[in-house]
Amino acid sequence: MRRTTVVRVGLSALLLLGTWATAGVTPAAAEDATANATATASNLSPGLVSAMQRDLGLTRSQAEARLAAEETATAVESKARHAAGASYGGSWFDAGSGKLTVAVTRHDAADAVRTTGATVRLVKYSAKQLDAAKARIDALTAPRGVSSWHVDSRANRVVVNVVTTQRRDNDVQAFLARAGQAGPVTVEETATAPGTFSAGTVGGDPYYTGNVRCSIGFSVYGGFVTAGHCGQPSAAVYGWDRSYIGNFQGSSFPGNDYAWVNVGSGWWTVPVVLGWGTVPDQLVRGSAEAPVGASICRSGSTSHWHCGTVLAKNETVNYSQGSVYELTKTSVCAEPGDSGGSFISGDQAQGVTSGGWGNCGSGGETWYQPVNEILNRYGLTLHTA
């Protein structure tokens, strides 16, 4: 592969646009995380921290403390879920306290969850009940005016998002009536319907298939993962310099939005997320899933680097091409050509860009397909540092 710099083969993604309070982390949370922050900071790319400072309004110490607290919360989450048992109602990271909050339906489970280090909130519905309600909505056919739906653990309900201008549409009203019969549902409005972020050939540092430009996701042994809407199985893929890389070995869209491409012909894989000269490249060391509320960053071939937070998981998104299930929603901005790019939290791979609404001038939201699902589906192994 011909390269102008050693980072050209790095993975494409873009960081999230933040919606946190300027303070980011409370003094108490920062103090609690000091020890972990010291250890975490030594493994962080300076570019990751500077991007969080820029996009989230944090100081360097606040960014490092938050990342350390999120690393702890990620480790606590699985233990807390096990401790909660059938009463588990979901979990999320709280930036103010710097801790994981776990919802439970029974008082007798609260103490066991607290011993894991998590904060507890009592709720009416379990995660199993909410997931079942969402599954019933998944079985419905959504009109275009319905943009997405997901389980909101903090609200302890299924949230259905509709486009504001379509709220009174007869088909939307009929869908909402049926969704309301599925279980505990609330309706929220959004300004714009979501769409995918693929683009025609306009240059930059992407990969190309046909006249479509997308962004590389994460390196795996033998290739890389990306978005399914970017190409069909066997389609040829060309790099930023238009030299041949390989072919789509598997692709799924809609329903899912993931794919993988084999790498050869002088190209190779490296465990990094490309910094685009704005920030140094970020090493990828694993794929531990960050909780709702955690910070997340990504870089894409069009909009490059931005930062923000995980807003919701297991959301069904109603694109014009059809619904895609089990996506994660974030406060990121994105633009055409960013599809397939890699979301990363700290040094942990999270997923590949699917679609969203808005742009990086006015802001917006973006969804990603979780990377662990892609690895499991195709039997791939993430290339890590």
Side-chain angles (χ1 to χ4, degrees):
M1 180 195 72
R2 299 181 298 279
R3 298 187 300 168
T4 56
T5 69
V6 296
V7 299
R8 284 299 222 176
V9 76
L11 308 177
S12 301
L14 56 101
L15 292 169
L16 292 169
L17 179 64
T19 58
W20 309 340
T22 301
V25 181
T26 64
E31 183 177 349
D32 290 342
T34 298
N36 284 342
T38 301
T40 299
S42 63
N43 292 323
L44 292 177
S45 161
L48 175 62
V49 175
S50 63
M52 292 180 67
Q53 291 178 249
R54 179 196 66 198
D55 293 339
L56 303 175
L58 304 175
T59 66
R60 180 178 182 85
S61 61
Q62 286 173 334
E64 291 176 350
R66 173 154 186 157
L67 288 168
E70 290 171 356
E71 184 177 9
T72 298
T74 299
V76 165
E77 188 172 31
S78 61
K79 298 176 183 177
R81 181 191 290 261
H82 178 75
S87 73
Y88 178 74
S91 61
W92 58 93
F93 177 79
D94 180 75
S97 66
K99 292 187 176 182
L100 185 76
T101 299
V102 176
V104 297
T105 59
R106 298 196 317 270
H107 286 277
D108 58 1
D111 288 341
V113 172
R114 289 191 183 97
T115 63
T116 69
T119 299
V120 175
R121 179 184 295 179
L122 288 171
V123 296
K124 182 176 181 179
Y125 302 103
S126 69
K128 184 176 181 179
Q129 290 173 306
L130 294 174
D131 287 341
K134 179 182 175 293
R136 287 189 282 271
I137 300 175
D138 284 344
L140 303 176
T141 300
R144 191 70 187 109
V146 177
S147 63
S148 65
W149 52 96
H150 70 278
V151 170
D152 186 335
S153 298
R154 282 171 285 199
N156 198 227
R157 302 183 71 81
V158 178
V159 175
V160 178
N161 296 286
V162 299
V163 179
T164 300
T165 57
Q166 299 296 312
R167 178 69 183 267
R168 302 304 175 190
D169 178 81
N170 289 338
D171 290 339
V172 171
Q173 288 293 302
F175 178 88
L176 293 177
R178 293 193 298 272
Q181 298 171 1
V185 170
T186 188
V187 179
E188 295 183 0
E189 295 184 359
T190 183
T192 310
T196 57
F197 286 121
S198 57
T201 301
V202 294
D205 193 15
Y207 73 86
Y208 302 87
T209 178
N211 67 341
V212 172
R213 173 170 67 85
C214 283
S215 299
I216 294 172
F218 291 97
S219 284
V220 297
Y221 286 98
F224 64 82
V225 294
T226 187
H229 70 263
C230 291
Q232 297 296 313
S234 78
V237 174
Y238 300 87
W240 62 273
D241 60 353
R242 298 308 187 114
S243 64
Y244 173 72
I245 296 177
N247 297 78
F248 279 87
Q249 298 299 302
S251 179
S252 179
F253 179 82
N256 305 295
D257 195 3
Y258 51 58
W260 83 280
V261 175
N262 69 309
V263 168
S265 301
W267 290 73
W268 60 90
T269 63
V270 290
V272 301
V273 171
L274 190 61
W276 295 99
T278 302
V279 297
D281 296 347
Q282 174 65 40
L283 291 174
V284 178
R285 291 189 168 90
S287 58
E289 185 178 348
V292 169
S295 65
I296 193 166
C297 301
R298 82 176 184 86
S299 160
S301 63
T302 298
S303 55
H304 300 173
W305 285 83
H306 299 275
C307 281
T309 56
V310 177
L311 300 178
K313 295 184 181 182
N314 190 23
E315 181 151 23
T316 300
V317 178
N318 187 35
Y319 294 130
S320 61
Q321 301 94 328
S323 293
V324 176
Y325 307 98
E326 299 182 1
L327 296 181
T328 297
K329 179 164 67 175
T330 71
S331 60
V332 72
C333 67
E335 297 180 357
D338 289 326
S339 280
S342 50
F343 277 84
I344 188 167
S345 182
D347 56 12
Q348 299 296 304
Q350 298 299 310
V352 301
T353 303
S354 174
W357 61 268
N359 56 56
C360 290
S362 59
E365 293 176 337
T366 299
W367 288 266
Y368 66 79
Q369 181 87 60
V371 69
N372 288 330
E373 181 181 355
I374 310 173
L375 300 177
N376 292 334
R377 169 63 180 83
Y378 294 117
L380 301 169
T381 300
L382 188 69
H383 190 170
T384 57

